[in-house]
Amino acid sequence: MFNRFIFISAKLSIFITTLFLLGGCCFDFEDQNSRGIPLSKAMEASASGGGKLLTGQNSESSNPSVEVNASTPLLSKGGGFDLDLVDYGNTTYTWQIPFDISYSVPFNGEIQSLTRLTLTPISVENDHHFVGLFIGGDIVNLQPGSLPDKATDNTWMLEGGIAYRYYFTPAHAFLSPYFSANISYQILTWDYRNSIIADGQNISGDSLSGVGGYMGIGAAIKRNSHLSFFGEVGLGGTVFFPQSNQGFDNDVFSNFGYFNVKAGMTIKF
């Protein structure tokens, strides 16, 4: 049974790695040219009514194209990958969907709090190990009176990544304590309250990419049943890239650590 888990985890890891590589190629954030303008100047212009910015250098800018190829499903009957994704030995399930809501309080920076909804549509699990691909969205509350609070509207964070858990007890135990960890690719996105103009381009919104990491401890209740519940607490952090998607040099949003509380449920089929 452990060999089956390793096999499924390896296929899932390859799939997730491919998504990250394709995402990096499509969004091309590493090749984003700087306009030579601090992000704070763009936000100050938005907060004061919008208008034209003086540029330090000319640069060609274009909106990144996003291409999604979903022609090859992860699971396909007859395709060599039709195993049960949840295998507890005496109990197996074909599919499970964990989802949760969490509340994060940063220790520093311009973000006051994050309310996060997370869905893990693809995962594999046995008595002691869990590996999953998750996607999530965060309601971002900015520090009142801060520059981004004055300059932006509709601030959100989107993320996707890989999550792992190690359970300290078998699945049939009523209470299953566990250690969890994840790594994610994150995009903080916002609209400017007032449009700005840079290099002859009208800009009404922007985004900032980053990488996040997290570790926590928690417990799941009745893990081997069709419906189970879990909760955890943990610590995490986010590191932002140097430039925004519109080419402004980030001097507004600081890298930050945070404390997180989470509650969720898992449905198994």
Side-chain angles (χ1 to χ4, degrees), residues 29 34 37 39 208-209 239-244 247-251:
F29 285 110
S34 171
I37 305 174
L39 181 58
L208 188 63
S209 297
V239 177
F240 289 116
F241 291 0
Q243 280 87 36
S244 73
F248 298 118
D249 298 329
N250 177 36
D251 62 344

Side-chain angles (χ1 to χ4, degrees), residues 188-261:
L188 178 67
T189 179
W190 63 86
D191 294 330
Y192 287 111
R193 290 185 184 273
N194 299 284
S195 297
I196 56 179
I197 300 173
D199 296 323
Q201 180 184 6
N202 187 70
I203 301 172
S204 59
D206 205 350
S207 62
L208 188 63
S209 297
V211 176
Y214 169 85
M215 291 189 297
I217 54 173
I221 299 175
K222 300 182 64 176
R223 186 159 58 97
N224 66 341
S225 62
H226 282 281
L227 181 63
S228 60
F229 301 89
F230 60 90
E232 66 180 77
V233 295
L235 300 173
T238 294
V239 177
F240 289 116
F241 291 0
Q243 280 87 36
S244 73
N245 186 34
Q246 293 290 352
F248 298 118
D249 298 329
N250 177 36
D251 62 344
V252 174
F253 291 102
S254 305
N255 303 330
F256 66 91
Y258 62 87
F259 172 76
N260 183 74
V261 178

Side-chain angles (χ1 to χ4, degrees), residues 62-188:
S62 61
N63 293 325
S65 61
V66 181
E67 298 180 359
V68 178
N69 185 355
S71 61
T72 304
L74 176 64
L75 302 175
S76 59
K77 295 293 183 181
F81 191 40
D82 54 356
L83 301 175
D84 294 323
L85 295 183
V86 181
D87 191 337
Y88 300 138
N90 295 330
T91 306
T92 62
Y93 295 97
T94 301
W95 197 270
Q96 69 173 351
I97 303 178
F99 56 94
D100 62 75
I101 182 170
S102 62
Y103 185 77
S104 302
V105 179
F107 301 132
N108 61 287
E110 295 69 32
I111 297 175
Q112 184 180 53
S113 65
L114 298 163
T115 303
R116 178 174 300 160
L117 298 174
T118 302
L119 178 69
T120 307
I122 303 172
S123 62
V124 294
E125 182 175 327
N126 65 13
D127 267 339
H128 293 288
H129 301 278
F130 168 98
V131 179
L133 168 65
F134 69 90
I135 54 175
D138 299 36
I139 300 173
V140 179
N141 292 316
L142 300 168
Q143 294 287 358
S146 65
L147 177 57
D149 181 51
K150 297 176 181 178
T152 67
D153 275 325
N154 302 319
T155 306
W156 297 84
M157 183 178 284
L158 306 174
E159 63 178 326
I162 305 171
Y164 172 78
R165 290 182 189 173
Y166 178 78
Y167 292 98
F168 296 99
T169 60
H172 62 75
F174 176 78
L175 188 66
S176 296
Y178 64 82
F179 164 81
S180 69
N182 71 51
I183 184 170
S184 62
Y185 178 77
Q186 302 175 336
I187 302 177
L188 178 67

